[in-house]
Amino acid sequence: MKPTVSRLFAVVASVFLVASGVGVALGTAAPSTQADTTIAYDAPVPDEYAFDAPTESGRATIGNESYTSLQAAVDAAAPGDRIRLRGEFDEHVVVETPNVTLVGEAGFGARIDGNGTGDVLTLDASDVTLRRVWVHNSGYDTSENDAGIWVNGTNATIHNSRVTASTFGIWLNGVSGVHIEDTTIVGRESVEPRSYRGNGIQVWKTDDATLVDNRITDTRDGIYYSWASNVTARNNTMWDLRYGVHYMYSDDCTLANNVAFDNDAGYAVMLSERIRVINNTAVNNTGTSGHGILLKRIDHSVVDGNEVVANGNGLYVFNSVNNTLTGNLVLENRVGAYFTAGSSSPNVSENSFINNDEPVRALVGERMAWNGSDRGNYWSDARESDVDSDGVNDIRHRPAGLVEKLVYDHPQAAVFASSPAFDALRLAESSFPVIDVPGIVDHHPLAEPPHERWRRYYERD
C-alpha cells in the first residue's frame, strides 16, 4: 500500500530529533558553488546563410576537354579521371563511372543546383570522390527522400564539400566504406515544424563508414542511423536540430568527440546495442525532449567522458540495462540523471554531478548503488567528510531517496523540500539506513570532482 502524505510526514518527524542530534558531529557543509555566474558556450560554427553563389555559368574540364554540362563531362569520364568544376550548373547529375573524382574550384566557385526537384547528385558507381563540391536545392519531398547527394556506390569519399537547401543532405543507401569529412550540411530553416524536414546525413543499412569533422544545421536530425553497423562519427558539430544524433536499430557504432548544442536533444541513442558514446559535448539542449544524452532500450554500451551541460535532463536512461556510465561531467541541468522504466547499470562511477537543479530522478523499484568497488561519483550537494584524506567521503550519499520519492509521488509536498524536517531526513538517509526506499545510493562519494574542466563553462556576470 502506498504511504499517504500524513504517514510520510510522521516518518520525517520521527527521525528529525535523531538526525538533528548527529548533524553537528557529522558535519553538514556542502561544497561551495560559483556565485553570480552563467553558463558560457559559443561554438565556432559558420554563418550558414552567408554563402555566395558563383556568378558564371558552369564549366567542367577533363584534361584539355571542356563541357558546359556536368552530366556530359561525367558521361565522358573514364575510371581514374579527374573532373574540374567551376561556375553554376543547373542540372541533376548521375555518376555511373567508377573511380572518378569531381573537384570544385577553390573557394566553392562551383555549384550544382537541383532547382528544388529530386536528388541533385547521385553516386551510383563505386570509389567516387567529391572535393570542394557544392550541392544545392534538392526537392522538398520527404516521402521520396529527396537528397542533395544520394550515395549508392561503395567507398565513396565526400571531402571539404557543402550541401545546402536540401531535404536530406546526404543519403547513404545501403553501402559500405563511405567517408564524409569536413563538409557543411544546411537544411531549410523555413520548413516548419522540424519533423517535416529530412536528416543531415541518413545512414541507412550502411556499415564501415566514417563521418568526421562535419557541420550540420537546420535539418530534422543531424545524423540519423537506421539498421547501420560499425559506423564512427567523430568531431562533428550539430545545432538547431531536433536531435543532433539519432540511432535506431544500429549496433557496434562509435560516437566520439562530437558537439551538439541548441537542439531539442543532443544525442538520442535508441534500440541499439554495443554503442560507444565517448567524450561528446551536449550543451543547451532544452527543447521538447530536452535531453543531453538519451538512452532508450540501449544495452551493453559505454557512456564515458562526456560533458552534458545546461540541458533539460543531462542523462536520460529509459528501459536500458548493463551499460557503463563513467567519467561524465553532468553540470547545471534541470535533472542531472533520470533513470526510469526498469533501467539499471552495473557501473555508474567517477561522474561529476555539479549544480544540477535535481541531481538524480530515479523511478526504479529497488535501491541501486552508484559506485565502483571503492570510488563513486562527485555530488556538489553532498556533505564533506573525508577524515583520512583519501579523496572519498566517509558518509554515503543519497541523491535520490525518500524525500525525492515523496515529492515525485505527491507534488504538493514540494513546498517542504527545503524545510528543516526534510533536511534532517536527508541527513539521516546518508548517515545510517534508518529508512531505505527505492532510489540511488552512493556508498563512496568523491570528495573532489574528477573534472577540472567544469570551470570553463562559467563566466562572471
Side-chain angles (χ1 to χ4, degrees):
M1 179 177 178
K2 182 179 287 188
T4 64
V5 174
S6 60
R7 289 176 60 196
L8 285 169
F9 277 130
V11 171
V12 173
S14 69
V15 301
F16 177 74
L17 291 177
V18 175
S20 60
V22 298
V24 175
L26 293 176
T28 58
S32 61
T33 58
Q34 296 275 342
D36 299 322
T37 55
T38 58
I39 290 297
Y41 192 76
D42 186 17
V45 295
D47 182 353
E48 65 270 25
Y49 292 100
F51 301 146
D52 294 325
T55 56
E56 62 181 295
S57 297
R59 185 163 297 277
T61 304
I62 305 173
N64 295 323
E65 295 291 326
S66 185
Y67 304 82
T68 57
S69 164
L70 178 54
Q71 185 64 61
V74 166
D75 291 342
D81 277 348
R82 180 184 180 95
I83 306 172
R84 291 173 287 130
L85 316 178
R86 63 182 299 171
E88 181 92 353
F89 297 90
D90 291 326
E91 56 183 318
H92 298 81
V93 179
V94 179
V95 180
E96 295 180 322
T97 302
N99 191 25
V100 297
T101 299
L102 280 65
V103 181
E105 187 177 63
F108 290 100
R111 187 174 77 168
I112 310 169
D113 192 325
N115 293 301
T117 62
D119 305 321
V120 183
L121 176 61
T122 301
L123 308 183
D124 277 343
S126 62
D127 300 293
V128 175
T129 297
L130 308 179
R131 296 187 186 279
R132 294 195 304 274
V133 174
W134 182 357
V135 177
H136 180 69
N137 202 14
S138 79
Y140 285 75
D141 196 339
T142 55
S143 66
E144 293 296 325
N145 303 325
D146 287 345
I149 303 175
W150 186 278
V151 181
N152 283 326
T154 60
N155 299 323
T157 297
I158 301 171
H159 184 267
N160 189 21
S161 292
R162 181 185 292 166
V163 182
T164 57
S166 292
T167 298
F168 291 88
I170 302 173
W171 184 293
L172 306 183
N173 193 47
V175 293
S176 299
V178 173
H179 182 83
I180 304 174
E181 183 174 359
D182 192 21
T183 291
T184 298
I185 299 172
V186 183
R188 291 186 170 106
E189 184 182 35
S190 60
V191 174
E192 289 290 349
R194 286 173 175 165
S195 58
Y196 289 4
R197 307 173 189 174
N199 302 309
I201 301 177
Q202 181 88 16
V203 186
W204 185 78
K205 290 189 176 180
T206 288
D207 57 33
D208 300 321
T210 52
L211 317 172
V212 182
D213 291 322
N214 302 293
R215 299 154 298 277
I216 307 173
T217 189
D218 290 332
T219 60
R220 180 170 59 204
D221 299 338
I223 305 172
Y224 182 91
Y225 297 75
S226 181
W227 306 103
S229 62
N230 292 305
V231 176
T232 296
R234 187 175 67 251
N235 294 340
N236 303 287
T237 302
M238 296 149 290
W239 71 102
D240 289 339
L241 310 163
R242 183 183 67 168
Y243 303 152
V245 174
H246 190 180
Y247 286 89
M248 295 291 288
Y249 308 106
S250 297
D251 301 334
D252 301 297
C253 294
T254 297
L255 187 66
N257 300 100
N258 301 281
V259 175
F261 70 98
D262 291 351
N263 307 296
D264 283 357
Y267 309 99
V269 188
M270 304 183 183
L271 301 164
S272 304
E273 293 188 351
R274 298 178 300 280
I275 304 296
R276 299 178 71 249
V277 183
I278 310 295
N279 297 335
N280 301 284
T281 299
V283 180
N284 294 330
N285 299 290
T286 57
T288 303
S289 298
H291 310 304
I293 299 176
L294 162 65
L295 305 180
K296 182 177 182 181
R297 292 181 60 186
I298 297 299
D299 302 333
H300 312 294
S301 297
V302 175
V303 179
D304 180 80
N306 303 282
E307 299 183 6
V308 287
V309 180
N311 305 284
N313 299 304
L315 305 171
Y316 186 87
V317 185
F318 181 96
N319 195 17
S320 299
V321 299
N322 294 322
N323 300 301
T324 297
L325 286 74
T326 55
N328 301 290
L329 171 62
V330 185
L331 172 71
E332 290 279 8
N333 303 280
R334 289 198 293 269
V335 178
Y338 196 137
F339 265 59
T340 187
S343 296
S344 63
S345 296
N347 186 1
V348 183
S349 63
E350 300 282 350
N351 302 290
S352 295
F353 291 89
I354 301 175
N355 295 351
N356 300 285
D357 293 345
E358 184 179 349
V360 174
R361 182 176 297 171
L363 306 185
V364 295
E366 60 183 351
R367 181 168 59 86
M368 294 190 297
W370 278 10
N371 46 257
S373 58
D374 57 359
R375 291 176 64 83
N377 305 275
Y378 175 79
W379 307 91
S380 62
D381 62 333
R383 293 177 302 113
E384 296 179 4
S385 179
D386 183 13
V387 176
D388 57 4
S389 300
D390 65 349
V392 177
N393 277 333
D394 305 311
I395 306 169
R396 73 177 194 165
H397 182 60
R398 286 298 303 263
L402 183 57
V403 169
E404 289 72 24
K405 177 174 174 56
L406 172 62
V407 171
Y408 184 83
D409 289 343
H410 306 280
Q412 67 271 31
V415 296
F416 301 104
S418 299
S419 68
F422 274 28
D423 288 343
L425 182 56
R426 291 188 182 96
L427 176 62
E429 279 196 291
S430 65
S431 303
F432 44 84
V434 174
I435 302 167
D436 264 326
V437 297
I440 304 300
V441 61
D442 190 337
H443 294 289
H444 310 294
L446 303 180
E448 297 290 339
H451 304 88
E452 280 299 318
R453 61 185 182 272
W454 66 271
R455 300 178 187 277
R456 71 186 179 91
Y457 286 100
Y458 289 99
E459 63 181 8
R460 293 286 179 181
D461 284 338

